Amino acid sequence: MMFAALVFAAATAVSVGALVTIRNLWIGPYLNDVHDLDGVTRGNVLLSLNIAMLLGVMGFSVIERWLNTRKWTIFGGGCVSAIILLALAAFPQPALWTTMALLILFALASAYIMLIHAHARAILPDNIVGRGLTLQNLAVFLGVFVIQWATGFIVGSFDSVEGAAPTAAYQAVFIFLAGITILALAVYVWIGDVPTREEPNTD
């Protein structure tokens, strides 16, 4: 079961790290360097992402009960997040409204991270659940640190143009985040599932 705890920790580190890296670190510079948005407009976009994240949390709580599966709800959210990151990377300079729509969808889909902790609590046995959840919480901080450092290294490896990072730098960041998300999902898929609602007794 310690393997399961490590898998949950890894999934949490990557999922939270990718979201925080996008939302807190690179979206502002990306909107400035690629779309030339002013500070107020960038702030409004970031506000819309935070609102979308809150709506996503409520939406995923409904989806997991409707599908009666926590594992595949999380897996689906991770897949959608990775696809959106790849879509952002695929187009060098999409229209602003396309970019905003993809970013809002990313924030909505990334709300699946809130379910990972609940999944771990349901799967891990009582004798290690404390250690497992503590490991998850530690993984959040380590994941954010390592992933932000790595993306900073990626962007820094590109030559800036008049003080702005080139579009290719942000494409590389999106590809990197999509890649580690896919790797985390490939490991997470081996974890068992738990139903999220009681099935009626037909006996």
Side-chain angles (χ1 to χ4, degrees), residues 53-163:
M53 181 75 184
L54 294 174
L55 294 175
V57 170
M58 293 185 287
F60 271 103
S61 66
V62 174
I63 291 171
E64 70 162 356
R65 287 197 298 272
W66 177 53
L67 297 177
N68 197 29
T69 171
R70 184 157 291 152
K71 171 183 175 177
W72 296 111
T73 302
I74 293 169
F75 187 83
C79 288
V80 172
S81 298
I83 290 170
I84 294 170
L85 289 170
L86 290 174
L88 285 166
F91 302 99
Q93 194 167 2
L96 178 58
W97 287 106
T98 301
T99 298
M100 291 178 62
L102 289 172
L103 291 175
I104 290 171
L105 287 173
F106 175 75
L108 283 168
S110 294
Y112 77 92
I113 65 178
M114 301 301 180
L115 301 179
I116 299 176
H117 198 77
H119 191 190
R121 180 64 185 89
I123 288 289
L124 298 177
D126 291 340
N127 64 315
I128 68 166
V129 69
R131 284 172 287 173
L133 297 183
T134 299
L135 184 61
Q136 261 191 288
N137 290 328
L138 177 62
V140 169
F141 297 101
L142 290 176
V144 170
F145 166 74
V146 172
I147 292 172
Q148 288 191 345
W149 174 84
T151 55
F153 179 80
I154 291 170
V155 173
S157 67
F158 289 82
D159 294 329
S160 63
V161 180
E162 296 181 355

